[in-house]
Amino acid sequence: FVALVVTALFASLLAFAGPAGAQSPVSPTTNRIHGADRYATSVALARNLLGAGNPTDGIVFASGESYADALSAAVLTTANRPILLVGKDSIPASVTDFISDYKSSMAAASPTVYFVGGTESISAANMTALQTAISVAGDTTPPTFTRLSGADRYATAAAVAAVPNIMTATDNLILVSGESWADGVSAAA
């Protein structure tokens, strides 16, 4: 009986092995990029985006408390301008660490730093604190700090779209609902 079971197992293994020379499918490599919360995840994504580079184009700040401004802000990102999430009245430690790590590389680049959303998204005091954290004393080419906002999420999205060199006359527009985040996430890329 044991010999019969062993023979059956061996035969089934051979059946699954496939023909000689067959190649197993290659799975794509996955890399989970995450942090302890949405703020740390935005920093982890920014560091991954930059790789060995630096945020020489600047940084985009958006609210981590509401999705609408961050979705609109996605179009401002480049390989050298990541998006970081902040609170209305707070700067998470992970964001402070990111700024500390990269502020000297931005000092020589004259980057543009965008704050997307009005004072209900990122307060004036928090914007000032972020500007202070990024600024380097004696920098001869300091960053340009720009707030992009409107009366509501739709006007803020229009303000982002109006940034020079973001859209051209030949670009196509993608219109998504401002009432839900799912379509905007799908279209952001």
Side-chain angles (χ1 to χ4, degrees):
F1 177 74
V2 172
L4 182 61
V5 170
V6 170
T7 304
L9 279 171
F10 184 73
S12 65
L13 288 174
L14 287 176
F16 285 114
Q23 295 181 349
S24 299
V26 178
S27 297
T29 301
T30 58
N31 184 13
R32 180 179 292 260
I33 302 169
H34 64 94
D37 56 25
R38 65 186 69 189
Y39 305 100
T41 298
S42 74
V43 169
L45 285 165
R47 290 183 188 278
N48 185 270
L49 171 74
L50 294 170
N54 292 302
T56 52
D57 291 346
I59 299 174
V60 179
F61 290 104
S63 172
E65 297 167 4
S66 174
Y67 68 88
D69 295 339
L71 284 175
S72 296
V75 71
L76 297 170
T77 62
T78 68
N80 296 310
R81 185 188 302 129
I83 186 170
L84 299 177
L85 300 178
V86 296
K88 175 184 177 183
D89 295 308
S90 63
I91 305 169
S94 56
V95 173
T96 302
D97 291 344
F98 180 91
I99 292 169
S100 178
D101 290 346
Y102 290 101
K103 77 188 233 175
S104 64
S105 67
M106 290 193 306
S110 189
T112 301
V113 177
Y114 293 104
F115 297 88
V116 179
T119 56
E120 288 300 313
S121 295
I122 301 172
S123 69
N126 210 25
M127 181 175 166
T128 299
L130 287 162
Q131 289 171 320
T132 301
I134 291 170
S135 297
V136 174
D139 184 4
T140 58
T141 58
T144 301
F145 297 104
T146 303
R147 184 183 288 270
L148 300 171
S149 64
D152 56 24
R153 64 183 62 184
Y154 307 104
T156 297
V160 169
V163 170
N165 301 320
I166 293 299
M167 292 192 58
T168 65
T170 59
D171 285 341
N172 294 317
L173 284 176
I174 299 174
L175 300 175
V176 297
S177 171
E179 302 300 317
S180 176
W181 56 269
D183 293 338
V185 168
S186 299

